Amino acid sequence: MGIFDYFKSKGEPSSASVAKDRLQIIVAHERSKRKQPDYLPQMQQEIIDVIRKYVKVGSDDVQIQLENIEDCSILEVNVTLPDN
Amino acid sequence: MDWLLVGSSGDMALAKIIVVTSGKGGVGKTTSSAAIGTGIALQGFKTVIIDFDVGLRNLDLIMGCERRVVYDFVNVINKEATLSQALIKDKRTKDLFILPASQTRDKDALTQEGVQGVLEELAKEFDYIICDSPAGIEKGAQMALYFADAAIVVTNPEVSSVRDSDRILGILQSKSRRAEEGKEPIEEYLLLTRYHPERVALGEMLSVSDVEDILAIPLLGVIPESEAVLKASNQGTPVILDTESEAGLAYTDAVDRLMGEERPLRFLDIQKKGFFKRLLGG
C-alpha cells in the first residue's frame, strides 16, 4: 500500500472484508434453508390457509420458520394480526 | 481413502471417480480437469478425463486433441460406438485418455443408466476417472457428480463464485449416489483459482483463509492468476506441463496433495516491488 492509499482508505473497511461478511450471512441463510424438509413449503402454505380461514390476514402477515437446534426442531409461527 | 467397488458380477474394479465442479461458469473447471488429470497420469496412474459438457465440448481444445475427435460420450451411451473407439489417447502423457463430450443439442442425451454403464466399463481399466462438469446445477452437472467418490470444487475469490460453490456442496451432500445410498460422503476439496496475492494484500480480494472460513472444506490448492494459463490453452497444452509457470507448479502441488502428500502453499507472497513504486502505491 502506498502513501496515497493510506490516507484514502483510513477508517473504511476493505471491500474484501465487506465481501466476506455478506457471504457469511447469505451462505448461512441458504444452508439453513437447505436443511429444511421437502414438505415444509407446502405445510407452511396450509398453515397460512387455515389461519386465513378464521382471521383476515395477508399472506405476508404469517411467517413460519423451522429451526434446528441440536436434536430439537422448533416450528415458529408468527402471525401479525390486523389492528381491529 | 476408500474405493468404489464396481461390477455386479463380483469382479472388483478399483477406480476413483473425481468430479471437477463449481456451479459458476468460467472459473477454471476445464483448465483444472486437464491439469489435474494430466498430473495424475504423470504419476503413473491410468487416467481418463470425461467431458460432461454436452453441447459445449471444450476439453478437447484445452487438451489439444480437437482434430482427433471421431466418436464421443453420447455415441458410447447410445451404443453407436465402442468405448475404445471414442477414447482419445493423449499424445504427450502416457496413461492418459480423453472422452470428449457430444456437440448434440439434446439435453437429455446423458441418462443416468448410460453414464453408469460407461463409468463401470472405464472402472475396469482405469485407476482414475476425472469428470469435467458443465457449469450450472442442471442435469449435466448432476450427472457429472452423481457417481463421484471425490469432488474438487473450483472457486474464484469472488462473491458469486463462492456462493455457487456452497450451493454445489449442498448438491454433493444430497443428490449424489453416495448421499442417496447413505454411504460415506463424497470427499470435498477446495481449489482456489485466479488468485491475486497483490489484490488480497490491498484488501481488494477475498483471501485463501476467507474462502476457507466460508466454505469450510479442506484446501487442495491455490492457483495464482497467471498468463501461462491462457498461453497453455492457446496451444492446447495442459498448463501443468508448463513447469516454468507458477500456475503449472501450483497444479503439481495440488495433485501431490490429492495423492496424500504434504506440500506447503507457494506463490501467495507478493512479488517485491521497488521502493518508489511501493511508496507511490503503483
Side-chain angles (χ1 to χ4, degrees):
Chain A
M1 209 190 293
I3 44 174
F4 300 128
D5 300 286
Y6 181 75
F7 292 115
K8 197 169 59 190
S9 66
K10 219 175 169 186
E12 256 179 65
S14 72
S15 67
S17 68
V18 174
K20 186 180 183 185
D21 291 346
R22 292 173 59 217
L23 273 169
Q24 275 175 326
I25 292 165
I26 190 67
V27 162
H29 176 73
E30 288 176 346
R31 278 182 194 159
S32 71
K33 277 203 150 175
R34 265 203 314 255
K35 286 189 195 120
Q36 289 181 348
D38 295 336
Y39 59 76
L40 196 70
Q42 202 191 339
M43 189 178 78
Q44 282 176 330
Q45 191 53 51
E46 285 179 24
I47 292 173
I48 290 170
D49 291 344
V50 169
I51 293 169
R52 288 174 73 184
K53 212 167 111 183
Y54 299 97
V55 191
K56 220 175 171 192
V57 290
S59 56
D60 292 345
D61 295 331
V62 184
Q63 266 151 22
I64 298 171
Q65 263 163 356
L66 186 68
E67 247 186 278
N68 290 303
I69 299 165
E70 283 167 29
D71 54 355
C72 178
S73 299
I74 302 167
L75 183 71
E76 186 184 311
V77 182
N78 202 336
V79 187
T80 313
L81 292 168
D83 286 342
N84 44 3
Chain B
M1 217 175 283
D2 64 327
W3 299 86
L4 179 77
L5 306 180
V6 183
S8 50
S9 58
D11 66 323
M12 225 168 40
L14 300 176
K16 187 161 187 175
I17 303 177
I18 303 175
V19 61
V20 178
T21 186
S22 70
K24 191 175 183 294
V27 296
K29 283 182 296 296
T30 301
T31 299
S32 299
S33 298
I36 290 169
T38 303
I40 295 173
L42 284 172
Q43 297 206 4
F45 296 101
K46 203 170 173 195
T47 306
V48 56
I49 316 173
I50 308 177
D51 189 347
F52 271 79
D53 204 345
V54 171
L56 293 168
R57 174 203 291 163
N58 272 321
L59 178 69
D60 55 338
L61 268 180
I62 300 298
M63 293 298 296
C65 63
E66 69 277 9
R67 296 183 59 187
R68 295 165 63 208
V69 176
V70 183
Y71 295 109
D72 59 56
F73 193 10
V74 171
N75 291 141
V76 180
I77 289 177
N78 294 341
K79 310 242 186 291
E80 294 152 2
T82 64
L83 200 44
S84 55
Q85 283 176 309
L87 283 173
I88 302 172
K89 191 177 188 317
D90 190 82
K91 282 195 166 158
R92 290 164 299 245
T93 312
K94 204 177 147 275
D95 298 321
L96 181 62
F97 291 79
I98 290 103
L99 183 56
S102 161
Q103 285 292 47
T104 175
R105 286 194 290 173
D106 177 11
K107 275 189 172 175
D108 298 319
L110 293 184
T111 59
Q112 189 160 303
E113 301 72 40
V115 172
Q116 181 168 8
V118 173
L119 291 177
E120 284 178 359
E121 206 178 328
L122 287 169
K124 289 177 193 159
E125 263 187 70
F126 287 88
D127 301 310
Y128 283 88
I129 301 171
I130 312 295
C131 303
D132 180 20
S133 173
I137 53 170
E138 298 300 314
K139 198 172 174 203
Q142 293 195 15
M143 281 297 113
L145 66 80
Y146 187 75
F147 297 98
D149 301 305
I152 296 172
V153 181
V154 183
T155 308
N156 292 168
E158 177 272 326
V159 285
S160 52
S161 175
V162 175
R163 181 202 211 168
D164 290 358
S165 291
D166 192 68
R167 189 106 163 76
I168 274 292
L169 288 169
I171 293 172
L172 287 166
Q173 290 156 12
S174 63
K175 300 226 167 102
S176 60
R177 180 164 74 169
R178 283 177 172 270
E180 284 180 1
E181 292 178 357
K183 292 198 180 130
E184 188 115 326
I186 294 178
E187 296 167 37
E188 300 158 341
Y189 300 105
L190 170 64
L191 185 68
L192 200 56
T193 58
R194 311 203 69 160
Y195 195 75
H196 285 266
E198 296 83 3
R199 303 200 71 184
V200 172
L202 289 170
E204 295 175 355
M205 182 179 264
L206 292 164
S207 69
V208 184
S209 62
D210 289 341
V211 181
E212 280 185 285
D213 282 353
I214 295 161
L215 294 179
I217 56 172
L219 182 67
L220 187 67
V222 181
I223 313 299
E225 176 76 50
S226 162
E227 289 168 12
V229 174
L230 180 61
K231 198 175 138 204
S233 79
N234 285 342
Q235 295 172 332
T237 315
V239 70
I240 199 168
L241 295 179
D242 182 353
T243 50
E244 312 268 282
S245 73
E246 292 189 347
L249 295 170
Y251 272 117
T252 302
D253 288 351
V255 171
D256 290 344
R257 289 187 201 107
L258 192 65
M259 296 299 166
E261 307 281 328
E262 297 251 344
R263 292 283 178 277
L265 288 171
R266 339 183 229 180
F267 316 122
L268 300 187
D269 298 325
I270 317 166
Q271 276 142 23
K272 293 271 184 293
K273 287 190 216 161
F275 172 73
F276 282 105
K277 218 174 170 189
R278 235 179 343 184
L279 184 74
L280 300 170

